[in-house]
Amino acid sequence: MKLNYTLLFAALLSLAGCGTSSNQTLTNGSTYETSAPNAVSTIAGTVGVAGATDANGTNALFGQPNGIIASPDGKTLYVADYGNNTIRAMVLSTGAVTTIAGSAGVAGSTDGTGSAARFNGPHLLTTDGTNLFVPDYNNNSIRQIVIATGVVTTLAGSTAGAAGDVDATGTAARFNGPGGITVTPDGTTLYVTDYNNKVIRKIVVATGAVTTLATTASFSNPAGIICDATGTNLYLTDFTGNTINKLAISSGVVTTLAGSTTNYGSADGIGSQASFYTPNGITLLGTNLYVTDTSDDTVRKVAIGTGVVTTVAGGVGVVGAANGVGVAAGFFGPIGITTDGTSLFVADSGNKTIREIK
C-alpha cells in the first residue's frame, strides 16, 4: 500500500483528511504509554457542534480549533479557531472561553483591535506572555496580538495574501502557507514552518526581519515546531515526511529523531522503527516531545534522548470523542498541542473541542 498525499496541509486544516503519496509503506503496532499523562477529558467545546459561543467549558463552541498554546504561568490557554477566523482565550481555573481577536465567520487581513481585526485561517500559535504570534495561513502572514489590549498587527508577510519566498523586513517578506511557530525563551526570535516553501524561517521580533535558515537537510512539509528551554534546538514535525526532527539552530544540522520518510503508520518503536501518519502539533514536556499524529487520531510521545516512541492516547485510526485512559480515549484529527508544565492540552479539531491529558 502506498501513500498518496492528494490533499496538502491546508486541506487537513479543514479536516478533509489526506489520501495516500509517494513511496511510503504502512507499518502499525502501538504500545500504549502508562507513565506519561494519558487520562483524557474534554474541558471546552461540544463534540461535533460548530459555533462561536463564548461561555464556560463545554457550553462554549468552536468552529474548528487548530492551534493551542498555554500562557507561561499556565493559567490561560489561547486557541486559534481556524473555522471561525478568531483567536480565543480560556481561563483554566474557571473554564471561561472568550474571543479576543477577529470576528466569527468573517475572513480578512485587516489589522485592528479585538473584533475589528480580521484573520483568514489562523493555524498554530505561540506566546511570549505579552503577545501572541499567529501564522495566518491563508493570508501568508504572521500576526502579532497584544494580549492585554487585543491590538492586532501584521508583523511579517503580505497584508493581501500574496504568497512567495522573499526574505525581507515586515510586510515586504513573503511566506507560502506558514503553519507552525515558536518563540525563543528570551522572546527575541520567532521560528516559523513555511509549509509550502518547505523551509524554516526566522523572524526578529523587534524589527520583523525575516530570513530563511540554512539547514543540512530538506523537509517535505514542515508543520509543528517548538524551541527548547535553552534556545539551542528546534524540534519539528514533517507532516508529509512522517518524521520528527531536531534542528540545531547555530549550525543548521538536522537529525531525524523518529519516524521514516519511507514508512507511515502507527508503529511504536525506536527511531526509524517507529512510524507516524501526518504528525502535526508538537510540544516539549521535560525530556519528552508530545506530538499529535493527526491521521492516526492519536497523541504520541518521543523521548528526546533515546528516540523511543510510544502512544499516549487515542485509538489508532479510530475517530472518536470518548474521554478515558489511553486507547479508551478518542480523538478526531487532533492538531495543536501544548502543556502547562504538568498536563497536556490538545486542540481536537474535528471534534471541535479542547481536551486535557493528565
Side-chain angles (χ1 to χ4, degrees):
M1 180 178 181
K2 291 186 177 181
L3 197 63
N4 178 22
Y5 293 102
T6 56
L7 297 175
L8 290 178
F9 187 56
L12 223 166
L13 302 183
S14 299
L15 272 299
C18 51
T20 58
S21 127
S22 333
N23 313 328
Q24 296 186 324
T25 302
L26 175 65
T27 60
N28 289 323
S30 298
T31 304
Y32 280 82
E33 178 68 51
T34 57
S35 61
N38 64 355
V40 181
S41 61
T42 302
I43 60 173
T46 299
V47 175
V49 180
T53 303
D54 287 339
N56 287 355
T58 55
N59 291 318
L61 297 179
F62 296 89
Q64 186 183 310
N66 277 14
I68 189 167
I69 192 72
S71 60
D73 63 9
K75 295 180 179 180
T76 306
L77 299 176
Y78 298 99
V79 177
D81 193 343
Y82 181 92
N84 280 324
N85 290 309
T86 56
I87 307 301
R88 319 285 292 275
M90 177 182 180
V91 178
L92 282 170
S93 62
T94 64
V97 176
T98 56
T99 302
I100 62 173
S103 180
V106 182
S109 59
T110 305
D111 289 338
T113 301
S115 59
R118 296 289 181 268
F119 299 87
N120 190 358
H123 186 40
L124 303 179
L125 73 172
T126 193
T127 183
D128 61 3
T130 301
N131 305 283
L132 297 172
F133 300 97
V134 184
D136 200 353
Y137 187 86
N138 295 321
N139 278 327
N140 292 305
S141 62
I142 308 301
R143 314 294 292 281
Q144 180 173 350
I145 307 169
V146 180
I147 295 171
T149 63
V151 171
V152 179
T153 54
T154 301
L155 176 65
S158 173
T159 57
D165 60 356
V166 179
D167 285 343
T169 298
T171 56
R174 292 291 179 267
F175 299 86
N176 191 354
I181 192 167
T182 190
V183 64
T184 53
D186 62 8
T188 62
T189 308
L190 300 169
Y191 292 96
V192 176
T193 55
D194 197 350
Y195 181 84
N196 291 319
N197 282 326
K198 307 177 187 298
V199 295
I200 310 303
R201 312 292 291 277
K202 173 184 176 181
I203 306 174
V204 178
V205 174
T207 64
V210 178
T211 53
T212 301
L213 288 189
T215 60
T216 59
S218 59
F219 303 100
S220 296
N221 292 109
I225 190 168
I226 191 78
C227 187
D228 67 14
T230 64
T232 303
N233 300 298
L234 300 171
Y235 298 96
L236 58 113
T237 61
D238 195 334
F239 187 76
T240 56
N242 292 309
T243 56
I244 311 303
N245 303 285
K246 174 184 175 181
L247 169 57
I249 295 172
S250 62
S251 65
V253 172
V254 177
T255 53
T256 300
L257 292 181
S260 169
T261 57
T262 59
N263 295 321
Y264 76 100
S266 59
D268 287 336
I270 300 174
S272 60
Q273 296 172 0
S275 59
F276 298 84
Y277 192 5
T278 62
N280 209 333
I282 188 168
T283 195
L284 177 62
L285 177 58
T287 58
N288 301 302
L289 299 167
Y290 291 87
V291 176
T292 55
D293 201 355
T294 301
S295 293
D296 276 331
D297 298 302
T298 58
V299 174
R300 314 284 294 279
K301 172 185 169 184
V302 182
I304 295 172
T306 62
V308 172
V309 178
T310 50
T311 302
V312 171
V316 175
V318 179
V319 171
N323 293 322
V325 175
V327 69
F331 296 92
F332 180 15
I335 295 182
I337 188 168
T338 190
T339 181
D340 63 357
T342 303
S343 296
L344 301 170
F345 300 92
V346 177
D348 195 357
S349 195
N351 281 324
K352 307 180 190 308
T353 56
I354 306 302
R355 316 292 293 278
E356 181 177 8
I357 308 177
K358 62 181 181 180

